[in-house]
Amino acid sequence: MTVLKDLRPVYVVGVGMHRYQFASDTNYIHMGLTALRAALADAGLEFPQIESAFVGCTGIGMAAGRIMFNHIGSTGLAVTQCENASASGSSAFQLACLEVAAGRREVSLALGVDKYGDQVRAINKEGVGRLSDTAAIPLVRYALLAEYLKKEKGLQPEDLAMVAAKNHTNGSKNPFAQFQKARSVQDILAAKPVMGDFTSPMCTPRGEGAAAAIVCSAAALKDLGLTGEPIRVLSSTLQSERPQVGREMGSVAVARAVAEKTYEEAGITAQDLDIVELHDAFAIEELLYVETFGLCPTGEGHFWIRSGAAEINGEVAVNPSGGLLAQGHPLGPTGIGQVHEIVHQLRGTAGPRQHRGATTGMAHMIGLGSISIAHVLRKET
Amino acid sequence: MKLEKPDLCAPGAGHGTHGPRLVLKAGLCAACGQVHFPKTEFGCPRCGAAPDRVALHALDGAARLLAFATIHTRLSPLITPPCVVGEAEVAPGIVEEVMLVGDEMLYADGMALRAVGIPVARGDRQLMAIRFEPAEDAA
Ligand SMILES: [Zn+2]
């Protein structure tokens, strides 16, 4: 199998965002073009120089990207709509990288834009009943997993709150975050109860927003005189879930498999990572994934997070953007918003969120169903 | 009273504490010999065998509770919080999310459960929904 690193080098050269926010009457085209124009300015490119675009979107409807691009000049670029649930933006990014790596294009765009839509889901058309009326609600599965882990490894509600407090505090320094208020462990514990030990700030909010990342080849870097500092994409890996074995949820098992594969493809180990943006739709996930990604020994995720290792300027900055919990999770843009954060961290332009000496980062998302996707990015010196 | 989810269950023998006992409609695959739940019209999800290789296989509605928690907010229009949801092993190796009768104080991890029918209001109709209750007479 050919992997990204065997092909032409791919670089992220421009990133931009529209702030994630609660559902509003903001037109999606306004949000998408805001992110796109910011990414173009960051790269030092004009829109006609973009040869292809992959648009991650779940809730707006057919041809969202094509309609949007009409308003920035119909250049004839190749446009592909990309829906992969919560990982739509991540998949759009992967496809844009592959186009450039394969030599099909020199400059490609991944853009995620979403509104909180009507939540039409294939699972509701499956025609297969479930015993529980909550079986299609991810929150319920993760809250039950947290209950199990509480007894299995002595997890405390404070451990969940610590993840949420860290990510909300990171989000308070991020102008694009949906939540920009620092919160303490006590604030999180005292918030509205949702299920079991979960309170509302331990769960990702619903929202809308946009994020864009422009990727290009080494030739384009040279020929187009790009101004954005390039960040190399070393790997991008996607797999879907297998049937659950024992107590480990299929989505957790596939997250582990994808991390191991993407490290191998990138030629790195977990110890090389300085920045990890991961799928913390629920705080319990971060406690699990820091173990499954090998950032700390198995069974020690909560001790590792309690030690401050996952904070900015700790061992590895985990979700320095605020993650899905605080930066937000508008679905289509989420995976590209992660790339936005990692690129700024690796360039050293993350401002008050800057993690010292960051050179390597990983973005990880899960899409309903579920699929897991991860990319490794590195600053080349 | 009609069953809310007749694809998943059927009336069983006898009564539980909160309602009549129910059996669950699983599938038994002739190609791979494995049981899956629920049986569907699509075939075997384990090995991919076509629907005609899958036979209806009744599970007795006995289950073992693995984890549970109380839902405090209305996550779905179909539920009325507070309500208790858990994960239970309904057959060896088959773990399903289940809705539990009553308060979480009634439950403990590892507890034996059984499926019973409980009336629920759905629009202007009363239907018999699948819930699980402690099976104190079970091992
Ligand atoms: Zn089979």
Side-chain angles (χ1 to χ4, degrees):
Chain A
M1 189 175 87
T2 305
V3 300
L4 206 57
K5 211 154 143 269
D6 301 332
L7 301 169
R8 298 198 308 167
V10 182
Y11 301 88
V12 182
V13 76
V15 287
M17 283 183 73
H18 181 286
R19 184 183 172 180
Y20 297 169
Q21 59 194 21
F22 286 100
S24 74
D25 55 8
T26 310
N27 189 306
Y28 90 88
I29 293 171
H30 168 76
M31 296 194 292
L33 294 185
T34 300
L36 173 54
R37 288 191 168 111
L40 289 168
D42 183 32
L45 279 168
E46 300 295 332
F47 184 65
Q49 292 172 296
I50 307 282
E51 296 164 42
S52 66
F54 294 88
V55 180
C57 173
T58 68
I60 295 170
M62 218 181 273
R66 184 65 200 95
I67 304 299
M68 177 178 65
F69 292 133
N70 280 338
H71 299 279
I72 192 166
S74 291
T75 62
L77 85 167
V79 181
T80 305
Q81 201 71 25
C82 178
E83 188 272 305
N84 218 354
S86 295
S88 296
S90 308
S91 284
F93 181 74
Q94 181 174 74
L95 292 169
C97 290
L98 286 170
E99 280 236 319
V100 169
R104 194 167 185 223
R105 320 276 180 196
E106 300 303 319
V107 184
S108 184
L109 166 71
L111 188 144
V113 60
D114 237 326
K115 299 285 289 182
Y116 189 73
D118 47 17
Q119 297 294 296
V120 173
R121 293 176 177 196
I123 197 162
N124 299 329
K125 299 180 178 179
E126 188 186 23
V128 174
R130 294 285 183 268
L131 290 175
S132 174
D133 295 337
T134 57
I137 303 175
L139 183 149
V140 173
R141 290 224 53 203
Y142 283 103
L144 290 171
L145 180 66
E147 283 301 312
Y148 165 73
L149 292 174
K150 189 158 81 174
K151 288 147 192 164
E152 180 76 6
K153 57 187 222 173
L155 216 58
Q156 300 294 320
E158 288 75 9
D159 293 313
L160 299 172
M162 200 166 286
V163 169
K166 169 179 71 67
N167 294 354
H168 278 270
T169 301
N170 290 347
S172 73
K173 300 167 194 160
N174 179 356
F176 298 108
Q178 186 161 341
F179 290 122
Q180 297 182 17
K181 186 177 167 204
R183 293 183 199 231
S184 67
V185 168
Q186 288 68 33
D187 294 338
I188 303 285
L189 290 171
K192 185 181 160 207
V194 179
M195 178 175 177
D197 292 328
F198 284 17
T199 62
S200 132
M202 296 177 193
C203 308
T204 186
R206 292 170 176 175
E208 61 181 30
I214 298 169
V215 296
C216 73
S217 63
L221 280 182
K222 203 162 140 234
D223 298 345
L224 300 175
L226 302 180
T227 53
E229 184 184 347
I231 297 295
R232 175 96 185 259
V233 186
L234 289 181
S235 65
S236 181
T237 309
L238 188 156
Q239 288 180 26
S240 65
E241 187 178 327
R242 295 169 190 274
Q244 181 165 337
V245 177
R247 295 289 295 155
E248 185 172 75
M249 272 172 67
S251 58
V252 178
V254 70
R256 173 185 292 108
V258 160
E260 287 170 356
K261 191 87 177 71
T262 214
Y263 295 161
E264 185 196 326
E265 289 179 11
I268 68 157
T269 69
Q271 282 63 50
D272 294 316
L273 291 170
D274 305 298
I275 307 291
V276 173
E277 285 280 316
L278 58 76
H279 184 272
D280 59 332
F282 309 104
I284 184 69
E285 290 185 83
E286 184 170 316
L287 285 162
L288 284 169
Y289 299 146
V290 296
E291 295 178 15
T292 55
F293 296 164
L295 305 182
C296 67
T298 302
E300 294 181 15
H302 51 309
F303 300 121
W304 191 72
I305 286 174
R306 280 180 207 168
S307 78
E311 291 171 14
I312 292 167
N313 294 327
E315 279 178 42
V316 183
V318 179
N319 287 321
S321 70
L324 278 61
L325 288 177
Q327 176 161 266
H329 183 26
L331 307 185
T334 309
I336 301 173
Q338 294 180 321
V339 170
H340 177 276
E341 178 68 16
I342 292 171
V343 165
H344 278 298
Q345 290 284 351
L346 303 190
R347 283 176 176 171
T349 53
R353 302 188 311 290
Q354 184 62 48
H355 181 76
R356 271 193 298 274
T359 61
T360 308
M362 179 171 77
H364 159 260
M365 277 299 288
I366 290 180
L368 191 70
S370 57
I371 67 103
S372 190
I373 183 165
H375 336 280
V376 173
L377 283 76
R378 176 169 274 176
K379 176 195 179 85
E380 291 196 323
T381 46
Chain B
M1 193 180 299
K2 283 195 167 166
L3 291 165
E4 183 192 26
K5 297 177 180 176
D7 293 351
L8 301 186
C9 66
H15 236 79
T17 310
H18 295 89
R21 293 198 59 172
L22 300 174
V23 296
L24 305 181
K25 293 180 173 177
L28 175 61
C29 175
C32 70
Q34 297 186 79
V35 173
H36 58 267
F37 178 81
K39 181 180 183 293
T40 74
E41 60 183 284
F42 307 124
C44 174
R46 306 277 175 212
C47 74
D52 60 3
R53 308 297 311 277
V54 178
L56 185 64
H57 175 79
L59 302 174
D60 64 4
R64 189 170 64 89
L65 185 59
L66 300 174
F68 60 96
T70 300
I71 299 178
H72 305 290
T73 53
R74 197 150 195 229
L75 298 173
S76 153
L78 295 172
I79 65 165
T80 308
C83 59
V84 188
V85 169
E87 276 184 320
E89 195 171 26
V90 297
I94 300 182
V95 176
E96 289 290 313
E97 194 173 303
V98 298
M99 304 180 77
L100 300 169
V101 174
D103 185 89
E104 70 175 21
M105 300 302 285
L106 297 172
Y107 297 95
D109 291 348
M111 181 182 261
L113 303 174
R114 65 186 162 216
V116 292
I118 301 285
V120 292
R122 293 288 182 245
D124 51 7
R125 293 202 301 165
Q126 287 273 336
L127 296 173
M128 187 162 303
I130 312 163
R131 297 291 182 268
F132 284 74
E133 64 172 20
E136 63 271 52
D137 51 340

